Amino acid sequence: MLFGQKFKKVMKTTVAGATFAALAISTTSVNAETLRGASMFDGNHTFTKTMVKFGELVEQYYDGDVEFDLRLNGELGVEKDYVTFLNQGVAIDYTILAPSNMARFAPSIPLMDMPFLFRDLDHWNTVLSSDTLAPLEKELSDKADIVIVGYAGGGTRNLISSKRISNMDELAGHKMRVMGAPIQAQIFAAIGAAPSAISYNEVYNAIQTGVVSGLENEAASIQNLKFYEVAPNVTLTSHTITVRPIVFSGKSFRKLPEKLQAAIKKAGKEAGDFGRELETREDGIKLKQMADAGQIQVAEFANRDQLLTIVKPVQDKFAASINATELLEAIRSK
């Protein structure tokens, strides 16, 4: 679906029941820069809302002609496709990505999204509001030619399963989908599950056919992609507070006027702040909506502290393997 933002005249556009401020003109300037974005989700998802906000802020800070072509609902593929496009400088210029999906280009980048990394929301926000992750940003830029311009995220990820899981015994051998970065599989294997890396667009069918019994995700994606239809049990492991960088293709970025580059960087930071506040606020609301509608059954996980003890050596080993021990300690000490 095309959700175009084009500059200089403000109008309202409705996408999938959500109203956004879209910027449009009836004719296109031959000198206008066109920035192409992609979202796997519809207009109600926080990622999409954050990218819309990003466009509005770029318009606010850039005194020039620029247009936005934002495609929704996975029209341009899934996140692993977006990573390739950004690296090659084709098809899209910007999006929001899970760090683990960029691991094949920048092996250290999944550290920022490692399960059980953040103590709580305050710790998470402190890290993302500082320059602590600058070494990972540099690696991503150097190895993948992808530039981080802001940090969104804020959803709390829990276990989602076709059967009830509430303790270590029930977790043992649980077949679950994880993202492709090795650290994800290592963490969940350490706590007794049987993780498999499966493409995101195949997860629903994989649960439906019994290939896996569930996945781990945040409330917005459970609701948006209707995972509750095949996996209605949510276990509150709260293992991850998501870090979702707003990213730009380095090849595309370098072609832009310097003033537009500056506007993108400023807008990216502020859009990230917007996205974090939005997703953090909406996460609990969406979980309650699904529970109240009878779509999910929510359970606590007994002895969650035991999980934190089990995974710490795995985290330490991973950090050492990518020469990021100091970075991990810097994050922990914030």
Side-chain angles (χ1 to χ4, degrees):
M1 176 178 183
L2 173 63
F3 181 61
Q5 293 175 301
K6 298 183 180 180
F7 281 81
K8 295 307 178 188
K9 180 181 176 183
V10 178
M11 62 180 292
K12 291 287 184 181
T13 297
T14 300
V15 182
T19 302
F20 297 107
L23 304 169
I25 53 174
S26 57
T27 59
T28 301
S29 168
V30 294
N31 296 318
E33 299 286 350
T34 299
L35 302 181
R36 304 159 299 174
S39 173
M40 286 175 50
F41 307 101
D42 66 18
N44 290 317
H45 196 279
T46 54
F47 289 6
T48 305
K49 292 179 181 179
T50 299
M51 283 187 270
V52 170
K53 183 67 173 180
F54 171 68
E56 293 172 353
L57 289 167
V58 171
E59 190 272 342
Q60 179 179 337
Y61 297 134
Y62 179 58
D63 185 20
D65 291 330
V66 64
E67 300 172 359
F68 284 77
D69 181 0
L70 176 57
R71 304 298 178 105
L72 310 186
N73 298 309
E75 180 182 337
L76 298 180
V78 294
E79 286 194 14
K80 67 178 182 180
D81 302 317
Y82 300 167
V83 175
T84 300
F85 295 154
L86 293 167
N87 171 256
Q88 296 177 354
V90 300
I92 65 172
D93 301 308
Y94 70 97
T95 190
I96 294 175
L97 291 173
S100 291
N101 287 315
M102 297 183 277
R104 69 182 189 273
F105 290 111
S108 299
I109 204 74
L111 180 69
M112 68 172 64
D113 201 35
M114 185 165 60
F116 302 103
L117 178 62
F118 300 108
R119 294 185 298 273
D120 50 35
L121 281 169
D122 286 342
H123 180 215
W124 165 83
N125 217 14
T126 297
V127 172
L128 296 188
S129 298
S130 69
D131 62 355
T132 306
L133 299 180
L136 298 181
E137 296 173 14
K138 185 176 187 305
E139 178 179 335
L140 186 66
S141 178
D142 291 347
K143 295 184 177 180
D145 203 10
I146 295 174
V147 180
I148 293 176
V149 298
Y151 288 101
T156 298
R157 292 176 82 93
N158 297 295
L159 294 182
I160 310 154
S161 56
S162 57
K163 62 179 182 179
R164 178 184 171 88
I165 296 173
S166 59
N167 54 51
M168 293 295 293
D169 289 340
E170 292 173 351
L171 179 60
H174 170 56
K175 296 187 295 182
M176 60 177 290
R177 182 266 179 181
V178 296
M179 292 181 282
I183 186 57
Q184 297 283 333
Q186 292 165 16
I187 290 285
F188 288 103
I191 61 176
S196 299
I198 297 174
S199 180
Y200 199 52
N201 59 340
E202 298 173 4
V203 175
Y204 187 103
N205 287 338
I207 299 172
Q208 195 172 42
T209 57
V211 174
V212 293
S213 299
L215 69 156
E216 52 84 44
N217 219 316
E218 62 265 31
S221 294
I222 301 172
Q223 187 179 65
N224 195 265
L225 297 177
K226 299 183 178 180
F227 285 129
Y228 55 77
E229 293 178 346
V230 291
N233 294 283
V234 176
T235 306
L236 300 179
T237 48
S238 302
H239 54 265
T240 301
I241 303 173
T242 60
V243 176
R244 293 294 177 264
I246 304 172
V247 292
F248 216 95
S249 167
K251 291 180 175 62
S252 300
F253 189 79
R254 289 189 295 274
K255 295 176 183 177
L256 300 175
E258 288 187 7
K259 289 184 178 180
L260 181 52
Q261 292 179 5
I264 287 169
K265 288 182 177 180
K266 185 174 182 180
K269 182 180 184 304
E270 293 185 18
D273 293 343
F274 167 88
R276 297 204 305 275
E277 190 281 328
L278 177 66
E279 187 163 349
T280 300
R281 174 164 40 87
E282 289 193 353
D283 191 70
I285 294 172
K286 291 180 182 298
L287 203 65
K288 186 176 187 300
Q289 285 174 344
M290 289 184 286
D292 289 347
Q295 295 167 333
I296 60 172
Q297 298 292 321
V298 179
E300 298 286 343
F301 189 87
N303 300 319
R304 181 180 176 274
D305 288 347
Q306 185 178 355
L307 301 180
L308 305 181
T309 302
I310 293 170
V311 304
K312 189 174 185 296
V314 181
Q315 294 176 327
D316 292 342
K317 184 177 179 180
F318 173 69
S321 73
I322 58 173
N323 297 315
T325 298
E326 289 186 9
L327 175 58
L328 178 57
E329 290 304 320
I331 293 171
R332 287 172 173 169
S333 67
K334 283 291 182 181

